[in-house]
Every structure is written in structure tokens, then in C-alpha cells.
Amino acid sequence: MAPLARANAPAPFVRLPDRLGGAFVVAPTSLVVEHEELSFRCDTAFTCSFEAVYHVVNPGEAREEVLGAFYGIASTGVTIRADDHDARRELTAEQRAVCDAAVSAIEPKVVASYGTALRSTGFTLGVDAHARAVLVFQGAMQPLLEMYGMGHEFAFDAIVARHPWLSTSPHDDSSVEYAYALSPIRSWGGSPSIDVSVRVAKGARWGPLAGGAWTVALEGGATVARTTIAARDASVLRFGMVVPGTAVLNGGPFVAAGGRVGPAELRTRLGYEIAGPTAVIYSGAVETSFHGRTTLVPVVELATPDIIIIIPSLGLGAGVPVQLRSGEATLVGARVQLTVSFPVVSLVIPFDWFPGGAGSEQAQVALLAQASF
């Protein structure tokens, strides 16, 4: 009967030659892992693939065969190949129990901490005397921890309150953490080093969750983190990434109508607004009186949140109005704008100052009711 091994990192069980039947005990195998290359490729921050390559040598005088299990934390779709041949093997309940117990003995925290997230896949490996073999483990893994930054439960950012249907929901940075069990490699022969590389997902950044002496660099346009771990120090490898939150928030269109304060004059406006960050709103609007005057005005506005619908959002903005006047010179001025916003409905009070205006055209104040979508 073949010796038994276990892994995430595979680790060996060797059957004593004077024992009969299915009795297995934990003991070092004569197979030696000379080196391991462990790489992770994260196409998104929420799914990473892994490849662990073991360079194994048999220094003994006889062929050595082991039957073992690969342990992965939150891993799926595990494949195992020995010199390009499928090496997976179904384990009996007894063999699996022996592997579980041995892994727990090597690193009790692995089994205790990860429970059902720790999944095993059986494999077999045979290496002739003084020969070498390459054992490759591949699969996918899910993050063990996802931390999302969200808005406040009873407060709505002004851009969301004004545009409940079309606005983008704000998100702070999100963090994800992965774990990979290294400790079973300690029960193989030899004391190899493990070269680890993590290719970070596009749009994410290497997070502070990762401990150890990592080097981070751009390789082929992607962020790659690297470290080397001695097998004697191998335990659980943890690494993390941070997905940046929403930088620019979509708002939506708005329409408004009202009148100018002082001289009786209809005022209407049509525009669109976005935000970034959530408290800063950028808008562009076209305003007209339908009597030969059209104003183009960009505005940057600082706005407080809307609290549980009852307490409105207050916005104070500044802009540069450009007033096109039929048959007259174009006026360029400065605007201060006050906005009081409930969900969908707002009261907008713009104050425009045109240095080149004459008489009542120099200072213009309006009162507008605005609906946002």
C-alpha cells in the first residue's frame, strides 16, 4: 500500500514496512521538495487562481509512492498533475480522516480557524530512485473576508437624494483578504524555500492586509507582489487587495421654473449634474427667459446630506454665468447659488453679478422650483 500524504502544500504520510492492512502513521517520507513556486493571478479582486509547483526528488534507492491530499482554503476546481499526468485520487473516509488529523497536528489553527472552508483533494505521486518529478496544483480561490464601505443608513448624499433613480450609489474603498495553507509542506523531506508571487487585479491595489517582507512592482503593466518564505516558517499565507471606491457619481438631469426677483421675468433651466466626491456636485445648465436672454452656467456646489428625508440637504455653490442677449453684448459674471433639496424636489436661489450690466441687469436674483430625475 502506498504511503499517505497531505497538502496545500501536500504533506506526507508513510506506511511502516512491517505493518499490514490499512494502518497509517505520520512520518517523514523519503521524497524531498527541493523548491516550490507559488503564484496567484487575480483577474478580479474577488476571484484568484493559484498554481503551486513542487520540484520533488527521490534520493533513495527504491521507488517511492505516496498517496496524499491537497488542502485548499476556500478553493474550487482543484487539478493536480504529476509530470503532466492527472494525479488526482479519491481518498477513502479513513484516509481522509488520517490526513485531517495530521494537518491539524502540524498547524492546529488551520483546521480550527477555517473549518468547512478547508477543502481537500486526494492525489498520488510515484518517483523512481534518484529521479525527479514536478507536481503541479492549480485551482481557484475565493476571498475569506470582504469589507465594503457603504453610505450611512439614515443619511442620503445630496446627489442621491436629488436623483434617486439615476444616481450612482456611493461606495468607500472595499478590502478583500485571501488565505492559503502553507504549513503541511513542513512534513515533507528537505527544507525548501517557497517563492510567492501575487498578480493584483486590474483596478485594485496591494492592500495593507498582507504581512511579511513583500516587494511590489509593476510587471507588464500589472502590479505584482513577491516574497520568499522558508518552509520551516510556513504557516498560513494571507494577502489582500483594496478596490477603490466610487470616485465620480452619476447624478441625472433636472428641470426648473420660477421667476426673477424684482423685475417680473420668467426663468426656466435645464441641466445635468454629477458628484465627486459625494459632497461636491458639478452641474451645467441652460437658463432662459424666452425673451432674448439665455444663460449658460457651470456651477460647483458643496452640499450636505439629506437626513431621513425630513431634514433637507443644503448646498452652496459658485459658478460663472455667461448670458447671451439678443442684439446686445454678451455678459460674463459670477454666481453664488443656494440650493435646498428634499428627495427629487429642490428650491434653487441663484444670485448673479454681471460687472458689465447696466442698472437692474447688473445684479440678478431668481427663485426656482426644481425637479431632478
Side-chain angles (χ1 to χ4, degrees), residues 4-6 10-14 25-29 31 66 184-189:
L4 187 62
R6 73 251 180 228
F13 276 73
V14 176
V25 297
V26 180
T29 179
L31 296 183
V66 294
I185 199 174
R186 296 205 303 262
S187 56
W188 284 83

Side-chain angles (χ1 to χ4, degrees), residues 197 206 255 270 311 316:
S197 67
W206 186 243
V255 294
L270 172 67
I311 302 175
L316 183 63

